[in-house]
Amino acid sequence: MGLIKILPDTLISQIAAGEVVERPASVVKELVENSLDAGADFISVEIEQGGMKLICVRDNGFGMSREDSDMAFARHATSKIAALDDLNTLRSFGFRGEALAAIASVAIVKMKTRQSEAQAGTEIVYRGGIKESHTTIGCPPGTEIFVENLFFNTPARKKFLKMESTEVGHTAAVISHAALAHPTVGFEFKSNGKSIISVPPDSQIEARLLAILGRDFFEQSARVSFSTPSIKIHGFIGQPGMTAASRRHQYLFINGRDVADPLVARAVLDAYGSRMPGRQYPMFLINIEVDPAEVDVNVHPRKLSVKFFEPNRIYRDVRQAASQALDEYQKNIFANVPQMKSQNFTGSKMVQEAISFSQEFAGQVSEKKKRDGGLASDELSQNSMQILGQIANSYILIHDEEGIAIIDQHAAHERILYEKFKARTQSGAKNTQPLLVPLNIECSAQEATVLEKTLTHLEGIGFEFDKWSGNTFVCRACPAALKKENLAKIFREFLDEMLSEKEHGAVLPEKILKTMACKAAVKFGMPLNIQEQRELLAELKHTPNSSTCPHGRPVRVLLTFDELERRFYRK
């Protein structure tokens, strides 16, 4: 008997499911795209237990006949292409005909569907890829699909899934992207009966932008509008100060399809030039409309990326569109600003403080030398950690009894804040400062799930929150160690970090303490005056575990006197 065998259809579908169905959000994405292709102008999504127990997608699209509802579960069956050439003019989303077959092979799937002109509808049930029933029923026009007990017959797949709140966040991201790409379609998303997203159909993208991404991005973004005979680029791009620590706030749609493309992301980044700070990413929502023949959407099993046939032209046009939007925004910002007089740099407060301190320190050293002919190392130790200055607005240079020490200001402050937060959490004592003006935090649906998950831990270190309607939270108090004027930026960076799922092995409370300390600490490139440098070093001196930051990076690098003498060949 030969070794090569034809695999059974059920096993083939389960293998295909590995490409199409990664997690509950993957199922939602496939079903929502089918609803969009069906002409729906309202789509409702409900999940339970992160989507593992139940996923339900309802639409008011054109529905299916009894015959088509049966064929929809067959592998490689589709109404969207008939020949290979059709791929060159493709405008639909799901076209391979694998989604329902793949989903049905790893779950219990029930579909109810009816065409508007039909007297009755159809219900079909599949369990693990096997059809159990196909009956005639009464139901409203459109299609309703229930997916229950996902991965019930492939338990090994379940171990790769995250916590329920994480899976809810992924699904919220799918719905958010679809809602931004299709403002004329209404969307509703519920998790365990709780409304996460609810947006009515609206032809104005501005209303959808405000509802999904929040007021901050809406008010601090520049409109992109660019067109040639072969391409149309429109959307919004964050002004230079509106940046993020990750690429999570980059929304790209090609002919309405939600994709990620490094070429477009690079073109937008390059448009900022020197206006973009290092290690930051631009925030944007870009829609590109091109002839379908100019883009290949069949390069990824889950249709997450595309391939342009003229990538250089796409790069050039996107960069020009983004650059024009930024230039226009900048022009409007400064149009009514009065002419400012130049200020002598040496007259700034920070420089004057530095000069004053240098003169004071030099005077002390001079008096010592006059008195006893020199400054001994033990006496220098009593005047420990004499500040020599700040280097590159990032490092503090100090002179102590061992040599020249270089302090990483961000790592030092991060350790200080982390130990303070940790001590307060363990003791239950809150050193809280109320906010004179409460801070409104408008979240996306995905961000709101993260913030709700972390509220208890944040309140344990001194925050106080209220929740308003929708995804708006109000911060009424914060830990006394934080600068109130930086809170909005701190929260944006905190949510980005939590959503990036770094430090997978970290316990959640520990991760929150580390992340909040990192985001609240002084940054690289931040000028500190002499008093601020003194205060930072004084706190560091009394901080436990001060040799490293909470992530293990060194706080202090020492250049000893012995090493200096060796470097200058004096030893």
Side-chain angles (χ1 to χ4, degrees), residues 319-463:
R319 180 173 179 175
Q320 184 177 348
S323 182
Q324 286 178 359
L326 290 170
D327 290 344
E328 188 64 27
Y329 183 90
Q330 201 77 3
K331 187 189 303 179
N332 292 337
I333 287 293
F334 289 103
N336 299 316
V337 176
Q339 188 69 27
M340 298 177 66
K341 294 181 180 180
S342 61
Q343 182 179 1
N344 185 347
F345 177 73
T346 59
S348 71
K349 181 180 179 183
M350 186 182 75
V351 173
Q352 288 297 335
E353 286 180 343
I355 293 172
S356 174
F357 177 75
S358 299
Q359 291 171 344
E360 173 190 343
F361 181 54
Q364 292 174 353
V365 172
S366 177
E367 287 300 318
K368 269 281 185 184
K369 287 182 177 179
K370 286 179 182 178
R371 188 168 63 247
D372 52 25
L375 192 62
S377 60
D378 60 337
E379 292 170 324
L380 181 62
S381 177
Q382 294 171 8
N383 284 334
S384 62
M385 293 173 56
Q386 300 289 347
I387 301 174
L388 302 178
Q390 189 186 30
I391 304 173
N393 289 336
S394 301
Y395 303 97
I396 300 173
L397 194 65
I398 63 174
H399 176 195
D400 64 19
E401 66 273 14
E402 298 178 79
I404 304 297
I406 304 169
I407 305 294
D408 180 328
Q409 66 187 38
H410 174 74
H413 197 210
E414 189 178 1
R415 171 57 73 178
I416 292 167
L417 291 176
Y418 172 79
E419 294 296 340
K420 285 183 177 181
F421 293 158
K422 183 178 179 181
R424 286 168 196 156
T425 301
Q426 292 174 344
S427 68
K430 299 179 183 179
N431 187 5
T432 297
Q433 59 175 342
L435 300 180
L436 185 62
V437 179
L439 173 67
N440 287 358
I441 305 169
E442 293 195 17
C443 301
S444 67
Q446 193 178 12
E447 289 170 340
T449 61
V450 168
L451 192 51
E452 284 191 338
K453 179 178 69 173
T454 60
L455 276 183
T456 301
H457 304 295
L458 291 173
E459 288 171 347
I461 62 176
F463 287 98

Side-chain angles (χ1 to χ4, degrees), residues 66 69-71 73 109-113 122-126 131-135 137:
R66 180 183 177 88
S69 68
D70 199 18
M71 287 297 294
F73 285 88
V109 177
K110 178 193 296 183
M111 181 172 74
K112 299 178 181 180
T113 185
T122 298
E123 178 183 272
I124 186 167
V125 179
Y126 272 78
K131 183 168 68 173
E132 289 195 337
S133 64
H134 195 184
T135 57
I137 61 166

Side-chain angles (χ1 to χ4, degrees), residues 226 233 237 263-264 266-273 275 313-326:
F226 177 91
I233 304 170
I237 181 171
L263 175 77
V264 172
R266 183 77 238 181
V268 175
L269 180 63
D270 289 348
Y272 281 83
R275 293 176 284 200
R313 179 174 65 84
I314 297 295
Y315 171 87
R316 183 180 64 249
D317 288 346
V318 170
R319 180 173 179 175
Q320 184 177 348
S323 182
Q324 286 178 359
L326 290 170

Side-chain angles (χ1 to χ4, degrees), residues 37 41 76 103 106 108 147 155 184 198 206 223 248 251 306 489 494 570:
D37 282 339
D41 63 13
H76 307 304
I103 295 167
V106 291
I108 301 167
V147 179
T184 58
S198 181
E206 289 85 357
R223 182 181 289 274
R248 194 176 59 82
Y251 301 86
V306 297
K489 183 175 176 60
F494 171 74
R570 292 184 177 276

